[in-house]
Amino acid sequence: MPVRKKAPEDLTAKKALALEVIRRLKAEYPDAGCTLDYDHAWQLLVSVRLAAQCTDARVNQVVPALFAKYPSIEAFAEADVADVEEMVRSCGFYHTKARDIVEMCKMLRDEYGGVVPDSIEELTRLPGVGRKTANLICGDIYGQPSYVCDTHCIRITNLLGLTTSKDPYKVEMQLREKIPPEKSTGFCHRMVLLGREYCIARRPQCIRCPLRPYCPGQTAEKIKTS
């Protein structure tokens, strides 16, 4: 069976919707940015790895002592994994996270001369680094177009009709069609803030949401119970 191609007018309408969503989100969150604390690119890599299935707030509590003890890529590369595990235990999945962080820093030291790569292809070679993290580094560190498809972004863009998949890679590719590159980083950061404040998975605040006029995903029941 032949695959039905997306009608040009459909894509045009979705691009127009995306621009309205971007405008509303920028008005709501004019100064949106990464909520993880860091001073160097490698610190952001470490923090993002710790933030998997953990809150940014918790990671920000843990990393000051961690970065004080291991103040460089070289220090982490020589670290005892068991010691790193103890320091990041409260972030959850600490065995895997500690191992990835140490191995990642070894690779940065040995193959990249201590410099965090600036492309998705190179970044995703690092242990524990997927496309979501790679996009974040490319956007926040190197100022490149970035499409960070976390759970908030995937859920909300599906509700808005901008995307039609739960698969992060497919969502990223669909957003690349609709979100202007120069607005992509801010858009994704604002999706996170919207997901935390209004479009909360288990208790959506539809009645107060700034995107309510554009969201066919809202229901009468959601509005009634918001």
Side-chain angles (χ1 to χ4, degrees):
M1 180 181 295
V3 177
R4 187 177 74 86
K5 292 185 177 179
K6 188 181 299 182
E9 59 269 21
D10 291 346
L11 184 56
T12 299
K14 296 300 183 184
K15 286 181 176 180
L17 170 62
L19 290 177
E20 279 301 304
V21 169
I22 289 168
R23 183 182 65 80
R24 284 285 183 116
L25 288 175
K26 189 172 182 179
E28 186 74 18
Y29 306 110
D31 302 315
C34 182
T35 53
L36 290 167
D37 297 334
Y38 66 95
D39 294 316
H40 306 285
W42 65 267
Q43 291 180 340
L44 182 56
L45 267 179
V46 170
S47 291
V48 175
R49 185 66 191 95
L50 293 176
Q53 296 182 301
C54 178
T55 66
D56 288 2
R58 166 58 62 183
V59 173
N60 288 339
Q61 291 175 356
V62 168
V63 293
L66 185 66
F67 293 155
K69 183 164 187 178
Y70 300 106
S72 66
I73 288 171
E74 292 76 14
F76 265 114
E78 298 295 331
D80 182 343
V81 173
D83 183 61
V84 177
E85 286 178 353
E86 285 304 308
M87 297 191 74
V88 304
R89 180 183 288 267
S90 64
C91 294
F93 301 96
Y94 58 95
H95 294 301
T96 303
K97 291 179 181 180
R99 182 197 65 213
D100 285 346
I101 288 167
V102 172
E103 292 302 314
M104 175 177 68
C105 287
K106 286 180 179 178
M107 194 169 178
L108 287 172
R109 178 195 63 187
D110 297 342
E111 297 190 30
Y112 293 97
V115 177
V116 174
D118 63 355
S119 72
I120 290 177
E121 292 72 25
E122 293 298 319
L123 284 162
T124 52
R125 293 186 63 234
L126 299 171
V129 176
R131 288 190 69 90
K132 181 178 75 171
T133 299
N135 268 287
L136 181 66
I137 296 296
C138 286
D140 281 48
I141 300 299
Y142 294 110
Q144 300 173 11
S146 62
Y147 297 78
V148 180
C149 295
D150 72 339
T151 55
H152 295 294
C153 183
I154 292 169
R155 183 181 74 257
I156 297 169
T157 57
N158 268 259
L159 288 171
L160 291 169
L162 292 174
T163 60
T164 58
S165 176
K166 297 297 191 293
D167 179 80
Y169 179 78
K170 291 179 180 178
V171 170
E172 178 187 334
M173 294 302 109
Q174 290 174 6
L175 289 180
R176 285 181 181 275
E177 288 185 319
K178 304 175 184 78
I179 306 297
E182 70 277 8
K183 299 182 183 297
S184 58
T185 299
F187 171 82
C188 292
H189 282 315
R190 292 178 176 108
M191 282 280 109
V192 173
L193 297 177
L194 188 83
R196 290 174 180 172
E197 184 175 0
Y198 296 108
C199 196
I200 305 163
R202 295 187 179 182
R203 46 185 179 87
Q205 308 296 304
C206 296
I207 196 68
R208 301 190 299 111
C209 181
L211 298 187
R212 180 182 171 189
Y214 308 105
C215 184
Q218 67 174 336
T219 66
E221 184 62 25
K222 285 181 183 177
I223 294 172
K224 179 181 176 181
T225 58
S226 293

